[in-house]
């Protein structure tokens, strides 16, 4: 089945140790999004790619970076994780620029020790 | 800016009907979406309203009034599996039509 896949599902890292989360999709969608979601809060958009065009949210810390080497894959790099970065990280896709349905992956829960 | 308000929690019993309201403030309104999220799971799309009125999909219906900047999600014949968080979301044209999510409503369905 076509889907959005995130690996790993759980990631433990140490304070200040770089970590990379990955997302892949078989939907061939143009847009890929990264959200951060903390407990009992709404998903917060960090950035998104439309094809290769990167769009950063104004309030996304510089500590968060992203790469999209091809249509199918997108990575979230956290350069120096802090305790406040512990959260669920959700990847989502959509076909294009219209407000269309977003398809979410299962998420990666990040724990920072 | 954009903001969406929802009740934080709603409780109901199996078989009942519940309505989750959403009021929003946004520029360049393009529609109101609803997503369901079970604990530990990913959000899944439920419905989308671009025009005023009611959209029905099985047990779930969604309503929009653009003049009132208001919408709601109606869940009928509640089942235990409907216990989840429900988010409304709007898209707006700020260079790119992305979703901004509401604060979320936690629905608890009891036997």
């Amino acid at each position: 089945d076509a889907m959005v896949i995130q690996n790993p599902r759980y990631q433990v890292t140490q304070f200040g140790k770089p970590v990379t989360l990955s997302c892949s999709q078989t939907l061939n969608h143009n847009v890929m999004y990264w959200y951060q979601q903390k407990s009992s809060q709404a998903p917060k958009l960090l950035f998104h790619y439309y094809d290769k065009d990167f769009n950063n949210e104004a309030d996304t810390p510089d500590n968060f970076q992203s790469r999209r080497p091809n249509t199918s894959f997108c990575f979230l790099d956290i350069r120096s994780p802090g305790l406040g970065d512990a959260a669920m990280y959700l990847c989502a896709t959509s076909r294009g620029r219209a407000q269309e349905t977003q398809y979410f992956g299962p998420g990666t829960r990040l724990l920072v020790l | 800016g954009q903001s969406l308000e929802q009740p934080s929690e709603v409780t109901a019993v199996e078989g009942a009907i519940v309505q989750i309201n959403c009021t929003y403030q946004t520029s360049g309104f393009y529609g109101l979406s609803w997503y369901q999220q079970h604990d530990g799971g990913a959000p899944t799309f439920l419905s989308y309203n671009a025009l005023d009125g009611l959209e029905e999909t099985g047990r779930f219906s969604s309503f929009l009034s653009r003049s009132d900047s208001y919408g709601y999600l109606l869940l009928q014949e509640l089942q235990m599996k409907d216990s989840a968080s429900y988010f409304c979301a709007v898209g707006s044209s700020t260079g790119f039509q992305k979703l901004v999510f509401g604060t979320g409503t936690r629905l608890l369905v009891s036997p």
Side-chain angles (χ1 to χ4, degrees):
Chain A
D1 289 340
M3 57 174 52
V4 182
I5 302 162
Q6 290 188 245
N7 286 304
R9 294 294 308 278
Y10 299 90
Q11 176 73 58
V12 181
T13 190
Q14 294 178 334
F15 182 93
K17 184 176 181 180
V19 66
T20 295
L21 310 181
S22 70
C23 176
S24 64
Q25 55 126 343
T26 59
L27 297 160
N28 203 33
H29 282 174
N30 292 317
V31 190
M32 296 188 77
Y33 309 80
W34 279 105
Y35 290 88
Q36 179 193 65
Q37 187 177 29
K38 297 188 175 180
S39 182
S40 300
Q41 296 184 18
K44 179 181 179 299
L45 183 64
L46 295 173
F47 26 58
H48 67 269
Y49 276 93
Y50 184 89
D51 286 338
K52 295 183 179 180
D53 293 334
F54 177 71
N55 298 270
N56 198 33
E57 291 301 295
D59 57 355
T60 298
D62 292 340
N63 197 28
F64 292 87
Q65 304 286 322
S66 186
R67 296 170 283 135
R68 189 179 186 185
N70 54 54
T71 300
S72 301
F73 285 87
C74 196
F75 300 98
L76 170 61
D77 300 307
I78 308 176
R79 294 191 297 186
S80 181
L83 298 179
D85 297 328
M88 176 75 87
Y89 291 88
L90 295 162
C91 173
T93 72
S94 70
R95 284 184 299 173
R97 289 187 177 269
Q99 185 193 337
E100 299 175 340
T101 301
Q102 291 192 11
Y103 298 84
F104 284 82
T108 295
R109 183 166 295 282
L110 178 68
L111 180 62
V112 182
L113 300 178
Chain B
Q2 296 162 278
S3 66
L4 300 96
E5 291 190 9
Q6 305 177 232
S8 59
E9 187 172 290
V10 174
T11 59
V13 297
E14 272 188 303
I17 300 172
V18 72
Q19 179 174 311
I20 299 174
N21 299 321
C22 174
T23 57
Y24 60 86
Q25 288 185 317
T26 185
S27 58
F29 179 76
Y30 278 84
L32 185 70
S33 301
W34 288 92
Y35 284 77
Q36 179 193 59
Q37 186 177 28
H38 287 97
D39 285 347
T44 56
F45 173 80
L46 289 177
S47 68
Y48 171 66
N49 295 65
L51 301 175
D52 292 349
L54 192 67
E55 294 281 343
E56 298 182 67
T57 308
R59 294 187 297 115
F60 294 178
S61 304
S62 57
F63 172 82
L64 175 65
S65 169
R66 288 174 294 171
S67 60
D68 295 324
S69 297
Y70 164 76
Y72 66 72
L73 180 69
L74 190 73
L75 299 88
Q76 302 181 72
E77 301 173 17
L78 280 175
Q79 302 175 9
M80 296 291 288
K81 67 178 182 180
D82 297 329
S83 292
S85 292
Y86 293 84
F87 294 92
C88 58
V90 293
S92 69
S93 180
T94 54
F96 182 89
Q97 295 175 31
K98 55 194 178 186
L99 287 179
V100 175
F101 286 84
T103 50
T105 298
R106 188 170 180 83
L107 171 64
L108 301 173
V109 181
S110 58

